Amino acid sequence: MLAAAVLPCLLPMSACSPRRPLVLSGHPWPGYESMFLARTLGYMPEGLRLHEAPTVQASIDAVKQGTADGAMLTLDEILMLRDQGTPLQVVLVFDVSKGADVLLARPTLQRLTDLKGRRIGAEDSALGSLMLSMVLEKAGLQAQDVHVQRILLEEQEAAWSRGDIDALVTYEPVATRLKKNGARQLLSTREMPDTIFDVLAVHPAALESHGHILRTAIAGYFKALGYLRQNPWDAAYQTAPRLNVTAEEMIGSLRGLELPDLIGNQRYLSAQDGDLQRVTNKLSSIMLQAGIIRQPVDARMLYSSAYLPTTEA
C-alpha cells in the first residue's frame, strides 16, 4: 500500500505539483485599477496572480524574461515588444486615453512653438517616444529643435522640482500632482484621439495553457468595472492608495480615460474590421517614422476576442 501511495510522486515534479498560476503584470495606472479592484472584491479566480510592478519597464522586463505571462501595457509598447520578438496577443482593451497623457510646461511657455530650444523630459519608452514625436509634429518642430532628456516616471517630479526641464511628456498620476504645483498643460491626448490604448496582452503559450483562467479573470474585470461605475467613490477610495493619490484625484484621472465595456471591447477586438486594426496601421506608421520599430506591424494574430465573456458581468 505504501509503495502504491508513493508511486504517483515518482512522476515528473510538474505532474505532482499544482499548475503554476497565470501571472499578469501591471504598474500603477488608473485604467488598470479595475483589474486590481476585482482582486480586492474577490472576483478573480484562484489560478491568477497579479504582479504589482513598480514601473512600466518592470512589466516589460517581466514578460520578456518569462516571469509574467502577460502584461498591462500601451498598445505601442506591445507593438514594440512584438517587433523585438516577444509574441504577445491583445485580449482586452482597458482604456483609451482622452486626456490622461499630457505635455506639461513651465507657466512661461504659452504655446507649443515656445518649445523650440527648450529641454523636454520624456520616458525612454515606446510611449514616451510616441508622445514626443506627436508633440513635435503638432508644434511644427523637428527633434533637433529641442533638447530631449530621458527621465524615468518615478524621477520626473524631482527633475521638475530641480528645474532640470522646461516641459515634460507624462501621464497620471504624475500629471495631476505637477499641475497642482503650477505646471501648465499645453497638449493632451484629448487633441490626439485614438492613439494611446492601454491593453492586456498575453503570450500565446499561456493562452493555450491558461485560457480558461484568463476568461474568468476578464469576466471578473468587467464585474469590477461595473462596480466602479455604480460605486465610483468607494472604488476610488479602494484604488487610490496604489497610485499614491487621493480618492478625488483618482476620480479626476479617470475623466481623462474612456473605459470600454464588453460591447466596446468586442468592437475593438473584432477579427472582422475591428477598430484596433485601423489604429494599429496608424500607430505602425508613426512608430516606423520615429524609429521605434524596424518594420511595419503585421496585425494578423495580434488581437483576439475569444477570451471576452459572452455577456456583461
Side-chain angles (χ1 to χ4, degrees), residues 288-299:
L288 268 173
Q289 187 173 2
I292 302 170
I293 56 177
R294 298 166 296 177
Q295 55 190 358
V297 174
D298 181 359

Side-chain angles (χ1 to χ4, degrees), residues 131-158:
M131 280 289 294
L132 184 60
S133 69
M134 292 189 294
V135 164
L136 293 176
E137 181 181 3
K138 288 276 188 181
L141 300 174
Q142 303 295 319
Q144 59 266 27
D145 293 329
V146 298
H147 304 286
V148 178
Q149 297 185 23
R150 297 297 184 173
I151 307 173
L152 296 172
L153 181 71
E154 58 268 30
E155 298 174 1
Q156 289 181 352
E157 290 173 89

Side-chain angles (χ1 to χ4, degrees), residues 31-45:
Y32 303 153
E33 289 312 303
S34 288
M35 184 67 84
F36 292 93
L37 177 62
R39 180 182 63 184
T40 301
L41 296 174
Y43 298 161
M44 286 299 177

Side-chain angles (χ1 to χ4, degrees), residues 243-259:
L243 300 181
N244 193 29
V245 296
T246 66
E248 290 81 2
E249 289 169 341
M250 178 66 184
I251 292 285
S253 67
L254 289 173
R255 295 192 184 104
L257 297 174
E258 174 193 332
L259 305 173

Side-chain angles (χ1 to χ4, degrees), residues 14 43 48 51 54 56 142 156 166 189 194 216 219 241 246 259 279 287 299 303:
S14 59
Y43 298 161
L48 176 78
H51 170 236
V56 60
Q142 303 295 319
Q156 289 181 352
D166 303 303
T189 42
D194 292 340
T216 305
T246 66
L259 305 173
V279 171
M287 294 173 73
Y303 313 107

Side-chain angles (χ1 to χ4, degrees), residues 1-306:
M1 293 296 292
L2 179 61
V6 171
L7 184 58
C9 287
L10 296 178
L11 297 171
M13 183 64 72
S14 59
C16 293
S17 303
R19 176 185 289 177
R20 75 171 186 83
L22 176 70
V23 180
L24 303 178
S25 182
H27 63 284
W29 167 251
Y32 303 153
E33 289 312 303
S34 288
M35 184 67 84
F36 292 93
L37 177 62
R39 180 182 63 184
T40 301
L41 296 174
Y43 298 161
M44 286 299 177
E46 290 185 3
L48 176 78
R49 182 168 72 83
L50 295 179
H51 170 236
E52 298 189 40
T55 64
V56 60
Q57 189 59 50
S59 281
I60 290 172
D61 291 342
V63 291
K64 289 175 74 172
Q65 295 165 7
T67 55
D69 301 298
M72 307 169 210
L73 298 168
T74 53
L75 178 58
D76 53 283
E77 287 159 347
I78 302 303
L79 301 186
M80 180 193 70
L81 282 166
R82 285 174 63 94
D83 187 65
Q84 295 172 352
T86 303
L88 298 175
Q89 189 170 34
V90 175
V91 296
L92 175 69
V93 177
F94 287 110
D95 62 72
V96 187
S97 183
K98 303 287 188 179
D101 296 88
V102 300
L103 171 72
L104 303 180
R106 300 289 174 184
T108 53
L109 303 183
Q110 308 266 332
R111 298 173 297 276
L112 288 175
T113 51
D114 294 339
L115 294 172
K116 188 171 183 178
R118 300 289 186 165
R119 302 163 299 171
I120 304 179
E123 276 190 303
D124 188 13
S125 65
L127 176 59
S129 298
L130 178 63
M131 280 289 294
L132 184 60
S133 69
M134 292 189 294
V135 164
L136 293 176
E137 181 181 3
K138 288 276 188 181
L141 300 174
Q142 303 295 319
Q144 59 266 27
D145 293 329
V146 298
H147 304 286
V148 178
Q149 297 185 23
R150 297 297 184 173
I151 307 173
L152 296 172
L153 181 71
E154 58 268 30
E155 298 174 1
Q156 289 181 352
E157 290 173 89
W160 184 269
S161 297
R162 291 193 302 266
D164 294 349
I165 48 179
D166 303 303
L168 176 65
V169 171
T170 190
Y171 49 87
E172 298 294 353
V174 171
T176 291
R177 294 198 290 263
L178 289 181
K179 283 189 282 188
K180 286 175 64 177
N181 290 324
R184 175 193 294 272
Q185 181 174 305
L186 289 186
L187 189 69
S188 80
T189 42
R190 193 171 299 279
E191 293 80 51
M192 300 181 290
D194 292 340
T195 303
I196 307 300
F197 285 71
D198 281 283
V199 301
L200 173 63
V202 181
H203 196 284
L207 294 177
E208 184 174 344
S209 61
H210 291 71
H212 60 297
I213 295 174
L214 179 63
R215 286 188 187 91
T216 305
I218 291 177
Y221 163 79
F222 281 114
K223 190 173 180 180
L225 185 60
Y227 185 91
L228 169 66
R229 288 175 171 154
Q230 294 170 11
N231 307 277
W233 282 103
D234 182 66
Y237 277 109
Q238 294 198 57
T239 55
R242 240 180 59 83
L243 300 181
N244 193 29
V245 296
T246 66
E248 290 81 2
E249 289 169 341
M250 178 66 184
I251 292 285
S253 67
L254 289 173
R255 295 192 184 104
L257 297 174
E258 174 193 332
L259 305 173
D261 57 11
L262 174 58
I263 294 174
N265 265 269
Q266 289 169 338
R267 185 182 73 245
Y268 280 124
L269 299 176
S270 170
Q272 301 297 323
D273 195 30
D275 286 358
L276 280 186
Q277 300 286 338
R278 173 182 51 80
V279 171
T280 299
N281 292 334
K282 174 184 174 182
L283 275 180
S284 177
S285 177
I286 295 172
M287 294 173 73
L288 268 173
Q289 187 173 2
I292 302 170
I293 56 177
R294 298 166 296 177
Q295 55 190 358
V297 174
D298 181 359
R300 291 175 300 176
M301 303 301 293
L302 180 56
Y303 313 107
S304 175
S305 61

